[in-house]
Amino acid sequence: QHCSACDSPKHLVTECPQLKVPPILNISRTHWKKHYSGELDRIICMLFGTCQTFLLEWLSFLVENEKISNARHKELHFVKTRLQDAIRKKLKNDFRLDAFGSSENGFGSNKSDYDVFFRYGNDNYERSSEMQIQTIINIEQALRAARFSRVMSITTAKVPIVKFAIRVESGEIEGDISYYNELALHNTQLLKRYCSWTKDETLSKLGMFIKKWAKNCEIGDASKGSLSSYAYIILLIHFLQRLPDPLLPVLQEMGEKRTIQVDGWDVYFCDDEPMPSWSQCTLSVSELFLQFLEYFAKFDWQNQVVQIRQTNKLTKIEKGWKKLMCIEDPFDLDHNLGSGISPRMFAFIMKSFVTSREVFFTLKEREGFVRSNMAAPEKALHDIVIADSHIARYGHSLFARCRASIGGAPRDRQCFKCGRIGHFSDACPVANS
Ligand code: UPU
Ligand code: MG
Ligand code: ZN
């Protein structure tokens, strides 16, 4: 009798301590809401960069998640030009580059990577997998020759990419180039449109906070066996669509529905300007964050699929999906964003939801911090700076508490040299490049 999850001879998989998820405690929301939700709101806003922006530069050593700035957009544009120049030297054919992902979808920060999609100008170009890989290798050589740093192609992934880095004034920008990845352009536009449906950038704020929270808990990196940040955004949109007072509509069901085919999938969604005051939801960002954690801690993963394309529920039986976590891509309906999750990782992700919910719910008053003084406009600037740096530090200490109570993520499937999944250390492309 061996445990099929951790290989221990001492118990069966049903008893495996690594697969145990702690129980979900009942916590009174009223007390928390009255006394502490305002502080968490401030932490979330601050990471986003909308509180006291004139102070943020000074605080940037504490706050590193500001939403993408115009200066950053200019730098990204410069990188795109450099990429174009480099590739043009190597490839004879006409081509174009389009940015997608976090730099365009409303969930990007000044630290996000830069995702670029390469295609030949002639759209009828052959797209066989050999052709794809050859193109990726050509791009890799072009970037090496142009002295981009850390250039490396990953041709074994579902979507082959070339990774690169480049120095710019503000530091270093990392990026990925993929080939014929047109659906990603459409899901980028869909996410961006969802962002425009919430007031005060609520969706962007929450999404960026959740991405940061997931990275902090080591559950936000698909290359290391957990979920991509894109998957967390899909979880978030799903949750906001299903609140008693929904914060978001289901855009793929709205408007003058018609079919728009891309790569064999329907990429239609209602792209109209959002209706002001469409939502009746009055929950604050901190309440939404905690309910998000609770929703997925209690989610019926055994039977249900998380999806954002229809109001009706979707079951795993209907899809014929059997994985532990089923998260459907909004357009590529064959793509389960949770397909790479092992039983151990699943348990670890669930534990992160349950435990973080408790950490954030038991927000305690910070030492030496007087809440009533916070917003008073007559308060000296000096005091506001102190209060803001306290808030930022407090946010960090909460994240540290989450990490400490969850423990480290399972690493059993990872290469011990680079920490990624999909190969073992003797075949590590990072160590051998
Ligand atoms: O469409 C997807 N599906 C995914 O499962 C993951 C990502 N994406 C798109 O790539 C989506 O538009 C997202 O906002 C964007 C950026 O994702 P990121 O920063 O994780 O970079 C990805 C990279 C490393 O996984 O490979 C993408 O550049 C590319 N990738 C895809 O484009 C990976 C998986 C994939 N599609 O399905
Ligand atoms: Mg990205
Ligand atoms: Zn490796």
Side-chain angles (χ1 to χ4, degrees), residues 19 21 50-51 200 254 293 349 388:
L19 299 186
V21 177
T50 47
C51 291
D200 308 323
M254 264 173 90
L293 297 179
I349 294 174
D388 267 2

Side-chain angles (χ1 to χ4, degrees), residues 415-420 423-425 427-431:
C415 160
F416 72 76
K417 282 187 183 147
C418 75
R420 295 198 173 85
H423 63 265
F424 291 111
S425 53
C428 178
V430 182

Side-chain angles (χ1 to χ4, degrees), residues 343-370:
R344 274 197 210 186
M345 188 55 87
F346 176 68
F348 186 73
I349 294 174
M350 285 304 110
K351 190 173 162 191
S352 305
F353 277 106
V354 175
T355 311
S356 301
R357 172 177 170 269
E358 276 162 41
V359 169
F360 282 99
F361 251 136
T362 49
L363 224 59
K364 297 206 184 68
E365 194 135 8
R366 282 164 291 111
E367 257 173 70
F369 174 71
V370 191

